[in-house]
Amino acid sequence: MALLKSLAARKDDLSSPANQLEFLSNGVFKKGKLPLFKDKIAQTNHFPLKPKKLEILQLNLGYMCNQVCSHCHVDAGPDRKEIMTKETMLQCLEVIRTTGAHTLDLTGGAPEMNPNFRWFVEEASKAGIKDFIVRSNLTIILANKKYHDLPEFFKKHKVHVVSSLPFYKRDKTDKQRGDGVFDKSIKALQMLNAVGYSQEGTGLKLDLVYNPSGAFLPTDQNLLENDFKVALKEDFNIDFNNLFAITNLPISRFLEYLIASENYEDYMYALVDAYNPTAVENVMCTNTISISWDGWLYDCDFNQMLELKVASKVKHISQYNEDLLNDRDIIISQHCYGCTAGAGSSCQGSVA
Amino acid sequence: MSKTYYDPADLRKFGNISEWNEELGAKFFDYYGKVFEEGALSAREKSLIALAVSHVVQCPYCIDAYTKDGLQRGIEKEEMMEAVHVGAAIKSGATLVHGVQMMNKYEKLSM
Ligand code: SF4
Ligand code: SF4
């Protein structure tokens, strides 16, 4: 079921990252029924977890969103006012111009709702980054007339669009993301195809993100991609490039759902059971830096939402120094099991 | 001691059966794993068969496991329910076809 308000607006106990982290260290983990993530990765000599070469800069332009999805790890929604300012964007641009990373990844909330979004994309696209991703929730394109030309805008700046579509059928999509979301998403995908996305010879890439609509793990990414391709083509004549299967991490609103539906313990057992040491080597934090709307630096978007700033002398974009940052230990907790289950999970899908 | 015969949490302990007989346990789990691999039938088709059989043998653990497995594979609820009906149809058919035996016996015994 889609929600009406964020945890923050409801002043729910779980809106506090400290409470979430405490919850994730109690219960089955405190009783020793399940191993702490730290102990689990230590068995294969992966503790402390260290970064490899930096490849991706992920910028969160703000937590405001036109949707209030029930699984959202950002706790995003129309009631969230945290938005990146132009000043912070200028600091980010400096970093983008000098970084060794080959990918720039803009996320949110709905990044398009940031009033300086277009200006920022124009400026950033001049920096010569190889892969420039915008994570779009699709419905934003139809949410207001002022967003209708986003497909053209993305095309103009050769943006690589990554969009979430939880399923290729209406009921599961709408249950997770809200009534009408499926039809709007389909329309938006058709608009993106119409300007050339995922069409031969255009070089314009459109990828989809699948995440399970409930307390279960995603199956094999290639099988899912195939199912999505066949269904979307047959039913709606939609093309896309790749599908990323992402595991829902037990934080924020998904954690709220797991607790309320009494699925929390089973879900944690499933994650720990599916632990894959190969996935640990490639978890997202090993090649990504996540930057929050207010310029703080994190190991990943999940740690950002848990307010776990990087364990480095450099903690803010204003002090940015890639060499120093790359020397840090990554901060981990039990939510990390979501990245290492099965084929692993990251913003680019499976990792193992 | 638990007060019911079935505890959903026991499903997680399924692997423990090997503790009292490692050789047979290992052989079973190895066989089980192989059966469900992609083959002439897809893993998806096997999952639906398993769901139907779970209902016929009325194993609550299997029903939980293969409902979840189906969700993970993107199997839809309509497909799951049809599979359950296939199981139910065979089971009721198997009951009813014995009606012929009853009829035969009745005729044989009657003057
Ligand atoms: S569209 Fe994305 S950011 Fe917005 S509420 Fe849904 S999951 Fe969260
Ligand atoms: S949650 Fe973040 S820190 Fe933990 S393993 Fe995943 S990417 Fe790394």
Side-chain angles (χ1 to χ4, degrees), chain A residues 65-69 71-77 108-110 137 164 177 253:
Chain A
C65 189
N66 57 317
Q67 294 184 184
V68 196
C69 305
H71 70 289
C72 184
H73 75 270
V74 179
D75 193 26
N137 69 20
S164 20
R177 299 179 84 84
R253 295 211 289 258

Side-chain angles (χ1 to χ4, degrees), chain A residues 37 49 249 280 283-286 299-303 306 330-333 335-340 345-346:
Chain A
F37 188 72
L49 195 57
L249 261 68
V280 182
V283 279
M284 191 164 61
C285 48
T286 58
D299 300 302
C300 68
D301 205 48
F302 304 111
N303 281 7
L306 292 169
I330 292 162
I331 304 181
I332 51 169
S333 180
H335 63 293
C336 297
Y337 276 117
C339 294
T340 56
S345 174
S346 76

Side-chain angles (χ1 to χ4, degrees), chain A residues 4 63-68 76-81 113:
Chain A
L4 294 173
Y63 303 157
M64 189 182 279
C65 189
N66 57 317
Q67 294 184 184
V68 196
D79 53 52
R80 298 299 299 262
K81 306 296 177 224
M113 288 177 90

